[in-house]
Amino acid sequence: MKCCIFLSAVITLPGLLSSCSGSGRLMSFPFDSAGRSLNSPASELTPQLASRYIVFISDRRSTQDVYLFDTVDQRLIDLPGLNALDAIASHPSISADGRYIVFAASRQGRSGIYLYDRETRQLRNLTENLQAEVRNPTISADGGTIAFESSENGQWDIAVYGRSGEPLIPPSP
């Protein structure tokens, strides 16, 4: 079975999309039955695109992990220190330069928003001190701002944090 990721044509990838029409274009990326490429026999979930990078979740190692694919070099990029056996990752997002990856994860029954710095290979839980469920993070193009949903006030609100983990917009009372 051959899998393909569908990308909207309004997002341009150098050398991959040549037009900007209202409809999408089906693009075929490498398939590797051993899971060493973008597409594999496993589930590939919630792909997000930024510049030359596609970040996504896959269960190819029997856990929901974050993967990063370089569309120019046509290869997966190693992410040492990011994926953990005790975490279920979801909804990744990546900065335009590919340095920062943000994602939601559930560890020991508690949700968190995690930021991974590819340069320093450090993973941080940005919401460790937040007493709320969190989900669906996204990161700004420059990697400086992270927005996500939080249930801190008993309803789902949008929280905006800086890369260092401080709230940039305080929650309303």
Side-chain angles (χ1 to χ4, degrees):
M1 180 172 129
K2 182 168 169 112
C3 299
C4 296
I5 288 194
F6 182 78
L7 301 174
S8 174
V10 295
I11 300 172
T12 58
L13 290 172
L16 295 178
L17 295 177
S18 58
S19 67
C20 191
S21 64
S23 63
R25 175 188 251 171
L26 188 62
M27 301 175 65
S28 182
F29 285 100
F31 178 84
D32 184 336
S33 60
R36 296 176 302 240
S37 188
L38 178 63
N39 294 305
S40 77
S43 294
E44 322 298 6
L45 309 168
T46 59
Q48 296 294 315
L49 179 73
S51 183
R52 68 188 281 171
Y53 301 103
I54 299 173
V55 65
F56 62 100
I57 301 297
S58 179
D59 65 359
R60 54 184 76 182
R61 292 187 300 190
S62 300
T63 60
Q64 275 189 217
D65 289 333
V66 178
Y67 287 82
L68 182 60
F69 185 77
D70 185 324
T71 61
V72 174
D73 293 340
Q74 298 276 304
R75 66 177 183 85
L76 284 175
I77 296 173
D78 191 31
L79 302 170
L82 187 144
N83 294 307
L85 292 174
D86 67 341
I88 300 171
S90 67
H91 298 91
S93 182
I94 189 165
S95 61
D97 64 1
R99 177 175 175 178
Y100 299 103
I101 297 172
V102 68
F103 62 98
S106 177
R107 286 182 124 154
Q108 301 168 345
R110 182 150 156 68
S111 66
I113 302 298
Y114 292 84
L115 178 70
Y116 179 73
D117 183 336
R118 286 185 49 222
E119 188 174 294
T120 64
R121 298 179 175 185
Q122 290 185 338
L123 179 66
R124 293 187 41 234
N125 182 347
L126 297 177
T127 58
E128 190 170 15
N129 297 321
L130 186 62
Q131 298 300 311
E133 291 292 312
V134 291
R135 65 185 184 189
N136 301 323
T138 189
I139 193 165
S140 62
D142 68 0
T145 306
I146 295 98
F148 56 91
E149 295 176 56
S150 168
S151 68
E152 186 176 29
N153 295 321
Q155 65 184 25
W156 288 106
D157 293 321
I158 296 173
V160 181
Y161 276 42
R163 185 174 53 231
S164 61
E166 79 285 358
L168 296 179
I169 300 174
S172 56

